[in-house]
């Protein structure tokens, strides 16, 4: 069904738009969003008697590098998803094998986005740096929403598409 293919294109484009806006926000309001990364990495707002604070990164250059990697990953996620959405849109009326191949860029972008928000924010930020312990600098819930959204789109996109049947 053509509508399913168009729906997949639209879902990928919405993730591309979201990642674009997040990257743009981080670049255009660099200082405010850098503060979030700095506090998470410095672990300065986690439970006062936590014994994991030896993991803290307080070096400003390293914090800027970490933030730069986040922004680069967000940008790459957006670009791969935009490219994927365009490739899929162009192949929307093609055979199922060709449409399946057109999904490659989008699958790459969605996977990168999933890794950024799940591994980067939930696992590394949340667990390694104890972000979950912070009342003020805790991005666990929003990271969870992001990677679940992306995972849902990735699963939907990965479903095989049938051959289109010409209307009779």
């Amino acid at each position: 069904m053509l509508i399913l293919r168009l729906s997949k294109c639209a879902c990928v484009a919405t993730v591309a738009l979201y990642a674009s806006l997040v990257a743009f926000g981080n670049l255009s309001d660099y200082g405010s969003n850098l503060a979030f990364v700095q506090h998470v990495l410095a672990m300065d707002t986690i439970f006062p008697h936590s014994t994991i604070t030896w993991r803290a990164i307080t070096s400003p250059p390293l914090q800027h590098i970490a933030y730069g990697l986040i922004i680069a990953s967000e940008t790459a996620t957006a670009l791969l998803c935009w490219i994927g959405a365009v490739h899929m849109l162009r192949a929307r009326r093609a055979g199922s094998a060709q449409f399946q191949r057109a999904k490659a860029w989008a699958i790459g972008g969605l996977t990168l986005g999933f890794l950024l928000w799940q591994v980067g924010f939930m696992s590394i930020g949340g667990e390694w740096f104890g972000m979950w312990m912070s009342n003020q600098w805790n991005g666990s819930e929003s990271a969870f929403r992001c990677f679940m959204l992306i995972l849902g789109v990735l699963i939907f996109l990965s479903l095989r598409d049938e051959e289109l049947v010409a209307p009779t």
Side-chain angles (χ1 to χ4, degrees):
M1 287 190 347
L2 181 61
I3 191 69
L4 280 174
R5 291 183 180 192
L6 292 172
S7 176
K8 289 178 180 184
C9 295
C11 287
V12 170
T14 61
V15 173
L17 176 62
Y18 178 76
S20 297
L21 293 174
V22 171
F24 178 75
N26 284 336
L27 289 169
S28 64
D29 191 13
Y30 187 88
S32 295
N33 295 309
L34 173 65
F36 178 88
V37 173
Q38 288 175 317
H39 284 288
V40 169
L41 295 178
M43 302 173 75
D44 56 1
T45 61
I46 67 170
F47 299 158
H49 300 294
S50 175
T51 60
I52 65 167
T53 55
W54 61 270
R55 302 173 185 170
I57 297 175
T58 57
S59 164
L62 291 178
Q63 292 171 337
H64 281 276
I65 289 169
Y67 189 38
L69 289 172
I70 291 168
I71 294 170
S73 297
E74 293 163 348
T75 303
T77 296
L79 287 173
L80 289 170
C81 286
W82 282 122
I83 292 168
V86 169
H87 278 257
M88 291 165 49
L89 195 57
R90 287 182 179 158
R92 72 189 177 278
R93 295 191 185 277
S96 62
Q98 187 176 347
F99 187 73
Q100 189 67 24
R101 284 190 302 275
K103 296 177 183 180
W105 289 95
I107 290 171
L110 294 168
T111 301
L112 180 58
F114 174 82
L115 292 172
L116 171 63
W117 276 283
Q118 201 291 318
V119 176
F121 287 100
M122 290 294 292
S123 298
I124 296 173
E127 293 303 319
W128 183 256
F129 291 106
M131 179 174 67
W132 66 270
M133 291 186 241
S134 176
N135 288 327
Q136 185 177 3
W137 302 102
N138 186 347
S140 296
E141 286 184 28
S142 64
F144 180 77
R145 282 191 308 271
C146 289
F147 84 73
M148 289 306 294
L149 162 76
I150 291 170
L151 184 60
V153 173
L154 183 57
I155 291 168
F156 176 49
L157 181 63
S158 296
L159 298 175
R160 281 236 177 269
D161 295 274
E162 299 174 5
E163 291 294 338
L164 296 179
V165 178
T168 56

mmCIF file of all heavy atoms in Angstrom, residues 9-52:
data_model
loop_
_atom_site.group_PDB
_atom_site.id
_atom_site.type_symbol
_atom_site.label_atom_id
_atom_site.label_comp_id
_atom_site.label_asym_id
_atom_site.label_seq_id
_atom_site.Cartn_x
_atom_site.Cartn_y
_atom_site.Cartn_z
ATOM 1 N N CYS A 9 7.843 7.431 5.184
ATOM 2 C CA CYS A 9 8.594 8.635 4.799
ATOM 3 C C CYS A 9 8.318 9.767 5.780
ATOM 4 O O CYS A 9 9.251 10.457 6.228
ATOM 5 C CB CYS A 9 8.209 9.082 3.392
ATOM 6 S SG CYS A 9 8.647 7.951 2.069
ATOM 7 N N ALA A 10 7.063 9.962 6.115
ATOM 8 C CA ALA A 10 6.682 11.043 7.028
ATOM 9 C C ALA A 10 7.256 10.822 8.423
ATOM 10 O O ALA A 10 7.737 11.773 9.061
ATOM 11 C CB ALA A 10 5.157 11.161 7.088
ATOM 12 N N CYS A 11 7.221 9.598 8.903
ATOM 13 C CA CYS A 11 7.758 9.311 10.241
ATOM 14 C C CYS A 11 9.254 9.583 10.300
ATOM 15 O O CYS A 11 9.755 10.160 11.269
ATOM 16 C CB CYS A 11 7.452 7.870 10.640
ATOM 17 S SG CYS A 11 5.724 7.579 11.046
ATOM 18 N N VAL A 12 9.975 9.163 9.272
ATOM 19 C CA VAL A 12 11.419 9.426 9.227
ATOM 20 C C VAL A 12 11.671 10.932 9.152
ATOM 21 O O VAL A 12 12.565 11.458 9.825
ATOM 22 C CB VAL A 12 12.085 8.680 8.048
ATOM 23 C CG1 VAL A 12 13.527 9.128 7.850
ATOM 24 C CG2 VAL A 12 12.020 7.171 8.276
ATOM 25 N N ALA A 13 10.878 11.638 8.357
ATOM 26 C CA ALA A 13 11.040 13.092 8.237
ATOM 27 C C ALA A 13 10.765 13.793 9.567
ATOM 28 O O ALA A 13 11.419 14.792 9.886
ATOM 29 C CB ALA A 13 10.130 13.640 7.137
ATOM 30 N N THR A 14 9.834 13.282 10.361
ATOM 31 C CA THR A 14 9.567 13.926 11.653
ATOM 32 C C THR A 14 10.751 13.752 12.603
ATOM 33 O O THR A 14 11.076 14.672 13.358
ATOM 34 C CB THR A 14 8.282 13.393 12.329
ATOM 35 O OG1 THR A 14 8.409 12.005 12.574
ATOM 36 C CG2 THR A 14 7.061 13.663 11.490
ATOM 37 N N VAL A 15 11.395 12.599 12.556
ATOM 38 C CA VAL A 15 12.602 12.407 13.386
ATOM 39 C C VAL A 15 13.716 13.318 12.868
ATOM 40 O O VAL A 15 14.448 13.917 13.657
ATOM 41 C CB VAL A 15 13.042 10.931 13.417
ATOM 42 C CG1 VAL A 15 14.371 10.771 14.136
ATOM 43 C CG2 VAL A 15 11.970 10.067 14.090
ATOM 44 N N ALA A 16 13.826 13.433 11.549
ATOM 45 C CA ALA A 16 14.823 14.333 10.963
ATOM 46 C C ALA A 16 14.584 15.772 11.416
ATOM 47 O O ALA A 16 15.530 16.483 11.786
ATOM 48 C CB ALA A 16 14.789 14.244 9.440
ATOM 49 N N LEU A 17 13.336 16.192 11.396
ATOM 50 C CA LEU A 17 12.997 17.542 11.844
ATOM 51 C C LEU A 17 13.346 17.723 13.310
ATOM 52 O O LEU A 17 13.962 18.726 13.702
ATOM 53 C CB LEU A 17 11.514 17.833 11.608
ATOM 54 C CG LEU A 17 11.014 19.187 12.119
ATOM 55 C CD1 LEU A 17 11.727 20.337 11.407
ATOM 56 C CD2 LEU A 17 9.506 19.289 11.956
ATOM 57 N N TYR A 18 12.970 16.762 14.142
ATOM 58 C CA TYR A 18 13.262 16.854 15.567
ATOM 59 C C TYR A 18 14.766 16.950 15.822
ATOM 60 O O TYR A 18 15.227 17.837 16.549
ATOM 61 C CB TYR A 18 12.673 15.646 16.319
ATOM 62 C CG TYR A 18 12.999 15.684 17.783
ATOM 63 C CD1 TYR A 18 12.315 16.545 18.639
ATOM 64 C CD2 TYR A 18 14.009 14.900 18.313
ATOM 65 C CE1 TYR A 18 12.638 16.609 19.992
ATOM 66 C CE2 TYR A 18 14.345 14.957 19.658
ATOM 67 C CZ TYR A 18 13.646 15.815 20.489
ATOM 68 O OH TYR A 18 13.983 15.883 21.816
ATOM 69 N N ALA A 19 15.538 16.058 15.209
ATOM 70 C CA ALA A 19 16.994 16.080 15.416
ATOM 71 C C ALA A 19 17.589 17.385 14.889
ATOM 72 O O ALA A 19 18.527 17.930 15.493
ATOM 73 C CB ALA A 19 17.637 14.866 14.749
ATOM 74 N N SER A 20 17.049 17.903 13.793
ATOM 75 C CA SER A 20 17.517 19.191 13.254
ATOM 76 C C SER A 20 17.277 20.319 14.247
ATOM 77 O O SER A 20 18.153 21.160 14.473
ATOM 78 C CB SER A 20 16.785 19.517 11.945
ATOM 79 O OG SER A 20 17.052 18.569 10.958
ATOM 80 N N LEU A 21 16.078 20.340 14.825
ATOM 81 C CA LEU A 21 15.752 21.397 15.785
ATOM 82 C C LEU A 21 16.594 21.283 17.058
ATOM 83 O O LEU A 21 17.023 22.303 17.615
ATOM 84 C CB LEU A 21 14.258 21.355 16.121
ATOM 85 C CG LEU A 21 13.322 21.720 14.969
ATOM 86 C CD1 LEU A 21 11.869 21.495 15.373
ATOM 87 C CD2 LEU A 21 13.559 23.153 14.513
ATOM 88 N N VAL A 22 16.851 20.056 17.504
ATOM 89 C CA VAL A 22 17.685 19.860 18.691
ATOM 90 C C VAL A 22 19.106 20.337 18.411
ATOM 91 O O VAL A 22 19.701 21.069 19.215
ATOM 92 C CB VAL A 22 17.670 18.385 19.150
ATOM 93 C CG1 VAL A 22 18.702 18.134 20.234
ATOM 94 C CG2 VAL A 22 16.279 17.995 19.641
ATOM 95 N N ALA A 23 19.669 19.943 17.273
ATOM 96 C CA ALA A 23 21.026 20.373 16.917
ATOM 97 C C ALA A 23 21.083 21.894 16.765
ATOM 98 O O ALA A 23 22.014 22.543 17.274
ATOM 99 C CB ALA A 23 21.475 19.689 15.629
ATOM 100 N N PHE A 24 20.085 22.458 16.087
ATOM 101 C CA PHE A 24 20.039 23.909 15.921
ATOM 102 C C PHE A 24 19.950 24.617 17.277
ATOM 103 O O PHE A 24 20.641 25.612 17.516
ATOM 104 C CB PHE A 24 18.855 24.317 15.036
ATOM 105 C CG PHE A 24 18.723 25.805 14.875
ATOM 106 C CD1 PHE A 24 19.588 26.501 14.051
ATOM 107 C CD2 PHE A 24 17.742 26.515 15.566
ATOM 108 C CE1 PHE A 24 19.492 27.884 13.916
ATOM 109 C CE2 PHE A 24 17.628 27.888 15.437
ATOM 110 C CZ PHE A 24 18.502 28.574 14.603
ATOM 111 N N GLY A 25 19.116 24.093 18.162
ATOM 112 C CA GLY A 25 19.003 24.679 19.499
ATOM 113 C C GLY A 25 20.315 24.624 20.258
ATOM 114 O O GLY A 25 20.693 25.587 20.943
ATOM 115 N N ASN A 26 21.015 23.525 20.155
ATOM 116 C CA ASN A 26 22.288 23.405 20.848
ATOM 117 C C ASN A 26 23.348 24.336 20.271
ATOM 118 O O ASN A 26 24.206 24.824 20.998
ATOM 119 C CB ASN A 26 22.784 21.956 20.822
ATOM 120 C CG ASN A 26 22.044 21.090 21.808
ATOM 121 O OD1 ASN A 26 21.500 21.559 22.791
ATOM 122 N ND2 ASN A 26 22.014 19.798 21.540
ATOM 123 N N LEU A 27 23.289 24.567 18.978
ATOM 124 C CA LEU A 27 24.249 25.488 18.355
ATOM 125 C C LEU A 27 23.877 26.954 18.607
ATOM 126 O O LEU A 27 24.746 27.772 18.869
ATOM 127 C CB LEU A 27 24.329 25.223 16.849
ATOM 128 C CG LEU A 27 25.026 23.927 16.456
ATOM 129 C CD1 LEU A 27 24.809 23.625 14.976
ATOM 130 C CD2 LEU A 27 26.507 23.989 16.790
ATOM 131 N N SER A 28 22.591 27.263 18.520
ATOM 132 C CA SER A 28 22.172 28.663 18.660
ATOM 133 C C SER A 28 22.080 29.117 20.115
ATOM 134 O O SER A 28 22.099 30.313 20.390
ATOM 135 C CB SER A 28 20.836 28.899 17.946
ATOM 136 O OG SER A 28 19.813 28.147 18.552
ATOM 137 N N ASP A 29 21.971 28.183 21.040
ATOM 138 C CA ASP A 29 21.958 28.508 22.473
ATOM 139 C C ASP A 29 23.022 27.664 23.165
ATOM 140 O O ASP A 29 22.772 26.976 24.142
ATOM 141 C CB ASP A 29 20.573 28.230 23.055
ATOM 142 C CG ASP A 29 20.402 28.797 24.454
ATOM 143 O OD1 ASP A 29 21.252 29.608 24.886
ATOM 144 O OD2 ASP A 29 19.433 28.420 25.131
ATOM 145 N N TYR A 30 24.221 27.730 22.593
ATOM 146 C CA TYR A 30 25.324 26.864 23.012
ATOM 147 C C TYR A 30 25.571 26.913 24.518
ATOM 148 O O TYR A 30 25.684 25.881 25.167
ATOM 149 C CB TYR A 30 26.598 27.255 22.248
ATOM 150 C CG TYR A 30 27.761 26.325 22.477
ATOM 151 C CD1 TYR A 30 27.922 25.200 21.688
ATOM 152 C CD2 TYR A 30 28.703 26.575 23.472
ATOM 153 C CE1 TYR A 30 28.981 24.334 21.875
ATOM 154 C CE2 TYR A 30 29.768 25.716 23.672
ATOM 155 C CZ TYR A 30 29.912 24.594 22.873
ATOM 156 O OH TYR A 30 30.956 23.734 23.074
ATOM 157 N N GLY A 31 25.628 28.097 25.072
ATOM 158 C CA GLY A 31 25.968 28.250 26.491
ATOM 159 C C GLY A 31 24.964 27.614 27.441
ATOM 160 O O GLY A 31 25.347 26.941 28.404
ATOM 161 N N SER A 32 23.681 27.825 27.181
ATOM 162 C CA SER A 32 22.657 27.271 28.078
ATOM 163 C C SER A 32 22.692 25.756 28.073
ATOM 164 O O SER A 32 22.599 25.118 29.121
ATOM 165 C CB SER A 32 21.263 27.734 27.651
ATOM 166 O OG SER A 32 21.136 29.117 27.808
ATOM 167 N N ASN A 33 22.790 25.189 26.881
ATOM 168 C CA ASN A 33 22.783 23.744 26.777
ATOM 169 C C ASN A 33 24.120 23.129 27.188
ATOM 170 O O ASN A 33 24.163 21.998 27.664
ATOM 171 C CB ASN A 33 22.365 23.327 25.375
ATOM 172 C CG ASN A 33 20.936 23.747 25.097
ATOM 173 O OD1 ASN A 33 20.034 23.475 25.877
ATOM 174 N ND2 ASN A 33 20.724 24.452 24.008
ATOM 175 N N LEU A 34 25.202 23.884 27.035
ATOM 176 C CA LEU A 34 26.494 23.427 27.527
ATOM 177 C C LEU A 34 26.436 23.279 29.048
ATOM 178 O O LEU A 34 27.016 22.335 29.602
ATOM 179 C CB LEU A 34 27.611 24.394 27.143
ATOM 180 C CG LEU A 34 28.987 24.099 27.758
ATOM 181 C CD1 LEU A 34 29.538 22.767 27.254
ATOM 182 C CD2 LEU A 34 29.951 25.234 27.454
ATOM 183 N N ALA A 35 25.723 24.173 29.720
ATOM 184 C CA ALA A 35 25.606 24.101 31.184
ATOM 185 C C ALA A 35 25.039 22.747 31.611
ATOM 186 O O ALA A 35 25.492 22.164 32.600
ATOM 187 C CB ALA A 35 24.731 25.236 31.703
ATOM 188 N N PHE A 36 24.068 22.247 30.874
ATOM 189 C CA PHE A 36 23.488 20.939 31.181
ATOM 190 C C PHE A 36 24.571 19.861 31.117
ATOM 191 O O PHE A 36 24.736 19.059 32.047
ATOM 192 C CB PHE A 36 22.360 20.618 30.197
ATOM 193 C CG PHE A 36 21.737 19.274 30.408
ATOM 194 C CD1 PHE A 36 20.687 19.114 31.289
ATOM 195 C CD2 PHE A 36 22.219 18.159 29.741
ATOM 196 C CE1 PHE A 36 20.117 17.863 31.497
ATOM 197 C CE2 PHE A 36 21.663 16.910 29.938
ATOM 198 C CZ PHE A 36 20.602 16.760 30.824
ATOM 199 N N VAL A 37 25.311 19.848 30.022
ATOM 200 C CA VAL A 37 26.365 18.844 29.831
ATOM 201 C C VAL A 37 27.429 18.987 30.921
ATOM 202 O O VAL A 37 27.879 17.991 31.502
ATOM 203 C CB VAL A 37 26.990 18.958 28.425
ATOM 204 C CG1 VAL A 37 28.198 18.047 28.260
ATOM 205 C CG2 VAL A 37 25.940 18.656 27.356
ATOM 206 N N GLN A 38 27.819 20.214 31.225
ATOM 207 C CA GLN A 38 28.844 20.436 32.249
ATOM 208 C C GLN A 38 28.399 19.915 33.610
ATOM 209 O O GLN A 38 29.181 19.269 34.314
ATOM 210 C CB GLN A 38 29.189 21.930 32.338
ATOM 211 C CG GLN A 38 29.981 22.407 31.154
ATOM 212 C CD GLN A 38 30.225 23.901 31.177
ATOM 213 O OE1 GLN A 38 29.327 24.688 31.491
ATOM 214 N NE2 GLN A 38 31.443 24.297 30.839
ATOM 215 N N HIS A 39 27.176 20.190 33.994
ATOM 216 C CA HIS A 39 26.693 19.730 35.306
ATOM 217 C C HIS A 39 26.580 18.206 35.367
ATOM 218 O O HIS A 39 26.903 17.604 36.390
ATOM 219 C CB HIS A 39 25.360 20.381 35.662
ATOM 220 C CG HIS A 39 25.495 21.794 36.099
ATOM 221 N ND1 HIS A 39 26.025 22.150 37.314
ATOM 222 C CD2 HIS A 39 25.179 22.947 35.463
ATOM 223 C CE1 HIS A 39 26.031 23.466 37.428
ATOM 224 N NE2 HIS A 39 25.524 23.971 36.308
ATOM 225 N N VAL A 40 26.112 17.605 34.274
ATOM 226 C CA VAL A 40 26.019 16.138 34.252
ATOM 227 C C VAL A 40 27.413 15.533 34.368
ATOM 228 O O VAL A 40 27.652 14.642 35.189
ATOM 229 C CB VAL A 40 25.288 15.634 32.991
ATOM 230 C CG1 VAL A 40 25.437 14.126 32.850
ATOM 231 C CG2 VAL A 40 23.819 16.033 33.029
ATOM 232 N N LEU A 41 28.351 16.032 33.559
ATOM 233 C CA LEU A 41 29.700 15.471 33.578
ATOM 234 C C LEU A 41 30.432 15.757 34.887
ATOM 235 O O LEU A 41 31.198 14.914 35.375
ATOM 236 C CB LEU A 41 30.520 15.996 32.395
ATOM 237 C CG LEU A 41 30.039 15.580 31.006
ATOM 238 C CD1 LEU A 41 30.917 16.207 29.925
ATOM 239 C CD2 LEU A 41 30.022 14.069 30.861
ATOM 240 N N ALA A 42 30.204 16.920 35.465
ATOM 241 C CA ALA A 42 30.866 17.280 36.726
ATOM 242 C C ALA A 42 30.244 16.561 37.917
ATOM 243 O O ALA A 42 30.841 16.512 38.998
ATOM 244 C CB ALA A 42 30.807 18.793 36.937
ATOM 245 N N MET A 43 29.048 16.042 37.724
ATOM 246 C CA MET A 43 28.339 15.296 38.770
ATOM 247 C C MET A 43 28.182 16.143 40.042
ATOM 248 O O MET A 43 28.206 15.624 41.152
ATOM 249 C CB MET A 43 29.064 13.983 39.072
ATOM 250 C CG MET A 43 29.211 13.090 37.854
ATOM 251 S SD MET A 43 30.228 11.622 38.098
ATOM 252 C CE MET A 43 29.109 10.616 39.060
ATOM 253 N N ASP A 44 27.995 17.427 39.868
ATOM 254 C CA ASP A 44 27.948 18.339 41.013
ATOM 255 C C ASP A 44 26.573 18.490 41.642
ATOM 256 O O ASP A 44 26.417 19.191 42.640
ATOM 257 C CB ASP A 44 28.505 19.715 40.625
ATOM 258 C CG ASP A 44 27.792 20.350 39.439
ATOM 259 O OD1 ASP A 44 26.841 19.739 38.899
ATOM 260 O OD2 ASP A 44 28.202 21.451 39.036
ATOM 261 N N THR A 45 25.568 17.815 41.065
ATOM 262 C CA THR A 45 24.229 17.900 41.662
ATOM 263 C C THR A 45 23.652 16.519 41.969
ATOM 264 O O THR A 45 22.452 16.400 42.191
ATOM 265 C CB THR A 45 23.260 18.670 40.731
ATOM 266 O OG1 THR A 45 23.155 17.983 39.489
ATOM 267 C CG2 THR A 45 23.728 20.100 40.509
ATOM 268 N N ILE A 46 24.508 15.484 41.977
ATOM 269 C CA ILE A 46 24.013 14.158 42.350
ATOM 270 C C ILE A 46 24.000 14.055 43.870
ATOM 271 O O ILE A 46 24.407 14.977 44.574
ATOM 272 C CB ILE A 46 24.835 13.020 41.700
ATOM 273 C CG1 ILE A 46 26.256 12.966 42.239
ATOM 274 C CG2 ILE A 46 24.838 13.168 40.187
ATOM 275 C CD1 ILE A 46 27.030 11.716 41.813
ATOM 276 N N PHE A 47 23.512 12.942 44.397
ATOM 277 C CA PHE A 47 23.418 12.768 45.844
ATOM 278 C C PHE A 47 24.753 13.101 46.500
ATOM 279 O O PHE A 47 25.805 12.633 46.056
ATOM 280 C CB PHE A 47 23.011 11.344 46.203
ATOM 281 C CG PHE A 47 21.669 10.919 45.663
ATOM 282 C CD1 PHE A 47 21.380 9.577 45.509
ATOM 283 C CD2 PHE A 47 20.690 11.840 45.310
ATOM 284 C CE1 PHE A 47 20.147 9.164 45.019
ATOM 285 C CE2 PHE A 47 19.464 11.438 44.816
ATOM 286 C CZ PHE A 47 19.190 10.094 44.673
ATOM 287 N N PRO A 48 24.732 13.898 47.554
ATOM 288 C CA PRO A 48 25.969 14.397 48.166
ATOM 289 C C PRO A 48 26.933 13.308 48.652
ATOM 290 O O PRO A 48 28.139 13.505 48.612
ATOM 291 C CB PRO A 48 25.487 15.239 49.345
ATOM 292 C CG PRO A 48 24.035 15.405 49.183
ATOM 293 C CD PRO A 48 23.545 14.397 48.209
ATOM 294 N N HIS A 49 26.437 12.195 49.088
ATOM 295 C CA HIS A 49 27.324 11.164 49.642
ATOM 296 C C HIS A 49 27.557 10.008 48.672
ATOM 297 O O HIS A 49 27.983 8.931 49.082
ATOM 298 C CB HIS A 49 26.768 10.657 50.975
ATOM 299 C CG HIS A 49 26.644 11.748 51.991
ATOM 300 N ND1 HIS A 49 27.731 12.392 52.512
ATOM 301 C CD2 HIS A 49 25.558 12.333 52.541
ATOM 302 C CE1 HIS A 49 27.323 13.323 53.359
ATOM 303 N NE2 HIS A 49 26.002 13.307 53.384
ATOM 304 N N SER A 50 27.293 10.256 47.392
ATOM 305 C CA SER A 50 27.497 9.213 46.389
ATOM 306 C C SER A 50 28.989 8.884 46.284
ATOM 307 O O SER A 50 29.843 9.771 46.362
ATOM 308 C CB SER A 50 26.981 9.683 45.033
ATOM 309 O OG SER A 50 27.283 8.728 44.046
ATOM 310 N N THR A 51 29.269 7.626 46.098
ATOM 311 C CA THR A 51 30.668 7.194 45.987
ATOM 312 C C THR A 51 31.132 7.062 44.540
ATOM 313 O O THR A 51 32.238 6.565 44.285
ATOM 314 C CB THR A 51 30.870 5.843 46.704
ATOM 315 O OG1 THR A 51 30.015 4.876 46.093
ATOM 316 C CG2 THR A 51 30.565 5.964 48.183
ATOM 317 N N ILE A 52 30.326 7.521 43.597
ATOM 318 C CA ILE A 52 30.716 7.397 42.187
ATOM 319 C C ILE A 52 31.270 8.702 41.623
ATOM 320 O O ILE A 52 31.571 8.785 40.433
ATOM 321 C CB ILE A 52 29.545 6.902 41.307
ATOM 322 C CG1 ILE A 52 28.406 7.921 41.252
ATOM 323 C CG2 ILE A 52 29.059 5.541 41.755
ATOM 324 C CD1 ILE A 52 27.368 7.631 40.175
#
